[in-house]
Amino acid sequence: MRNLLEYGKSQITALHAAIADFRQMPPAERWFSCLFWSFWVSLVTFPSGYAVRDIMPVVCLIFLVLYYRCNWRNSVLRRLGAWPLFACLGLMVFIGVAFSQNPGASLLHAGSAFNKGFILPFIAMECVRGEKDLRRLVWASVLAVFWQGLDGVWQAQTGRDFLMGYPLHSGRLTGSFDDYEVGNYIALALIPAFGLWFILRQFFSRLPALLLNTAVLWPAFFLLAGAGSRSGALAIAAAMGLWLLLTGRHSVRWKGPLLAAAALLLILVAQGRARLDAVVEDGRWSLWKLGWRVFLEHPWFGAGAGQYNAAFRSLGLSPEKDAITISHPHNIYLDMLYAHGLVGFALGMIFLLGFSWWGYTRIRPRLQAERARGKKSIYWHMTACFWMGFVAWLFNGIFGHDFYRVWWLALAMCHLGVMIGAVVNGPACRKETDDAEPTGVPDDPSAVAEMAGTKTDGA
């Protein structure tokens, strides 16, 4: 008993010392620490339920404001030259509300994504100041998919998930999501978790790293297969093709689509959903037709965010296979098109494709230079994983939900923000250019600065 009391006393003393050290930190460092760890916890607990996904971004936002107040000059947002792309997103949302058939309902629909989506890129981008932060965020993704995967294994064995007690849905695993849409979550969350391989390779040879990586990630793949999400399978396959696009030479980039197609087929076979008749008879085709009809009625500024059901009903239409209450066309591009019209759709695509291209052009040369140096650094490898997580969401959305689906949008915005922060705060080393250019240094000084990461505006 005495030893136990002594141990408790020592722990209390250590806690008081840690609190004292925290109080003595400069304000900017103090609020950065609070911001980072609250965001880290939000990633790990993301599958826990709507309460966590509602509350944690608000907590992070409070710390973000305090961090900006103390360190705005060195913030990522201030140095981000591509910030007008966010303005395009804001204008798209404005059009979806202001020109809606029911502005109040559209405001509620789009506004629900504010704290669960739109603020997350700004939170996430400030959480990456170096390789250590990136590693920690990769580990957060790994922990999230690991425990959610174990939940899926438990559900397969017992018939209910261990967190909420949810049963299977139509014979498919749901995890803690209460729906087989968990397949979309686990697919997108797995992509940054793939960065675990590069972390392990710094400490282990290939075979031990492979065994450890497989042991940690197999529950997530089990859940992906059990959920039977074809759009989730497409996201994983797209990530494999994107990786080859980033790392391959120009002469072998054609292998990317082939690798993605092969991976998609293998995952669909594992899910038992590779039947052609299931694709032909899918109800999405009817939902897409309805979305297109609504768009034709409101071609310039759309029918309004979240007005899919009301709009097709007003035209006297109904889905062929789905319930009359269906609220979205199961395609983010048609969702953006019918809700915001051609003008809003163009603005939204500028945002999505703009950041996809912005990340690609900055990550690819630095990633290839890093790969040429071997295992000295994995910074750009991990950054590439978050970029792929964001871009794979664009593929996932071809057959996925509506644009404003809060948990889905939130995850993509987290990946986007981490990627932006990693690029803007990437290691500024001119040697990257020397390693990437074996035939000599480029003549254009701006190209040298770009590849070396010395441009601070991130544009």
Side-chain angles (χ1 to χ4, degrees):
M1 177 61 94
R2 182 177 180 182
N3 291 336
L4 183 61
L5 291 174
E6 289 293 331
Y7 175 77
K9 182 179 179 180
S10 65
Q11 292 301 308
I12 293 174
T13 302
L15 178 62
H16 279 296
I19 293 174
D21 290 341
F22 178 78
R23 288 177 174 175
Q24 292 175 3
M25 292 171 64
E29 291 298 315
R30 185 188 312 153
W31 297 127
F32 171 80
S33 180
C34 292
L35 173 64
F36 178 88
W37 288 111
S38 59
F39 178 65
W40 190 91
V41 169
S42 73
L43 287 181
V44 174
T45 59
F46 192 91
S48 298
Y50 284 103
V52 171
R53 295 193 288 271
D54 283 349
I55 295 171
M56 289 306 299
V58 177
V59 174
C60 294
L61 180 62
I62 294 172
F63 294 135
L64 177 67
V65 172
L66 293 170
Y67 175 72
Y68 279 157
R69 182 171 174 268
C70 297
N71 199 31
W72 168 252
R73 180 177 179 82
N74 295 316
S75 67
V76 172
L77 183 59
R78 191 194 73 82
R79 294 178 288 134
L80 179 63
W83 65 265
L85 294 176
F86 284 112
C88 292
L89 174 63
L91 287 173
M92 184 197 79
V93 176
F94 173 79
I95 289 173
V97 173
F99 295 91
S100 173
Q101 297 179 115
N102 188 337
S106 292
L107 179 61
L108 289 174
H109 184 76
S112 65
F114 174 77
N115 69 303
K116 295 180 282 260
F118 295 140
I119 64 174
L120 285 169
F122 305 100
I123 292 168
M125 71 174 65
E126 303 298 343
C127 290
V128 183
R129 300 199 300 188
E131 187 168 312
K132 182 170 68 173
D133 297 329
L134 264 180
R135 286 173 181 268
R136 288 171 171 172
L137 293 174
V138 168
W139 277 112
S141 300
V142 170
L143 289 173
V145 299
F146 179 70
W147 81 257
Q148 184 63 189
L150 288 180
D151 189 23
V153 174
W154 179 270
Q155 188 180 41
Q157 296 297 316
T158 66
R160 293 185 177 273
D161 89 290
F162 66 77
L163 185 65
M164 306 295 292
Y166 293 137
L168 276 70
H169 190 300
S170 303
R172 294 157 68 179
L173 297 179
T174 70
S176 61
F177 274 63
D178 193 26
D179 193 271
Y180 43 73
E181 67 184 14
V182 72
N184 286 326
Y185 163 75
I186 207 71
L188 294 176
L190 259 172
I191 297 171
F194 289 156
L196 175 64
W197 167 257
F198 307 113
I199 295 175
L200 293 176
R201 284 290 286 131
Q202 287 200 310
F203 302 97
F204 303 99
S205 61
R206 186 175 298 274
L207 182 58
L210 178 62
L211 293 175
L212 285 170
N213 196 69
T214 303
V216 172
L217 297 183
W218 79 263
F221 278 101
F222 179 89
L223 178 56
L224 176 63
S229 171
R230 288 178 297 213
S231 53
L234 178 61
I236 295 292
M240 294 181 179
L242 290 168
W243 177 253
L244 193 59
L245 183 68
L246 285 172
T247 60
R249 298 184 179 183
H250 291 275
S251 59
V252 297
R253 285 191 189 181
W254 58 271
K255 293 183 180 179
L258 293 180
L259 176 64
L264 176 61
L265 181 60
L266 287 174
I267 298 173
L268 290 177
V269 169
Q271 293 176 336
R273 308 202 72 200
R275 303 190 324 273
L276 183 60
D277 60 325
V279 176
V280 173
E281 297 175 3
D282 196 296
R284 285 176 175 82
W285 308 121
S286 170
L287 300 180
W288 290 4
K289 290 178 183 178
L290 297 182
W292 184 254
R293 289 286 300 275
V294 172
F295 160 68
L296 293 178
E297 290 294 319
H298 309 273
W300 295 110
F301 296 101
Q307 295 302 297
Y308 176 74
N309 187 271
F312 76 67
R313 287 195 187 204
S314 68
L315 298 176
L317 304 173
S318 62
E320 296 175 3
K321 298 181 182 296
D322 293 87
I324 190 67
T325 54
I326 188 74
S327 61
H328 59 86
H330 264 290
N331 180 295
I332 61 170
Y333 305 104
L334 268 175
D335 188 77
M336 292 164 62
L337 194 60
Y338 95 79
H340 312 92
L342 283 173
V343 177
F345 177 79
L347 290 167
M349 293 307 296
I350 289 172
F351 166 74
L352 296 175
L353 297 181
F355 270 122
S356 298
W357 181 251
W358 181 89
Y360 172 78
T361 55
R362 284 151 182 80
I363 294 170
R364 186 174 188 272
R366 299 170 187 180
L367 173 62
Q368 294 196 339
E370 188 174 75
R371 288 171 65 82
R373 293 196 300 271
K375 295 190 293 183
K376 294 180 181 179
S377 174
I378 58 171
Y379 185 92
W380 295 108
H381 286 72
M382 294 186 293
T383 303
C385 290
F386 283 98
W387 176 82
M388 290 189 299
F390 172 69
V391 179
W393 173 63
L394 304 182
F395 287 88
N396 186 232
I398 297 174
F399 301 99
H401 310 285
D402 61 310
F403 179 81
Y404 294 100
R405 179 63 62 94
V406 286
W407 68 265
W408 197 51
L409 177 66
L411 192 61
M413 294 298 101
C414 288
H415 293 166
L416 172 63
V418 172
M419 182 272 291
I420 291 173
V423 170
V424 174
N425 284 332
C429 179
R430 193 171 295 272
K431 188 175 183 296
E432 288 183 10
T433 305
D434 300 333
D435 291 340
E437 298 287 341
T439 58
V441 178
D443 295 331
D444 185 2
S446 64
V448 176
E450 176 63 26
M451 295 185 66
T454 54
K455 289 188 176 180
T456 58
D457 64 353

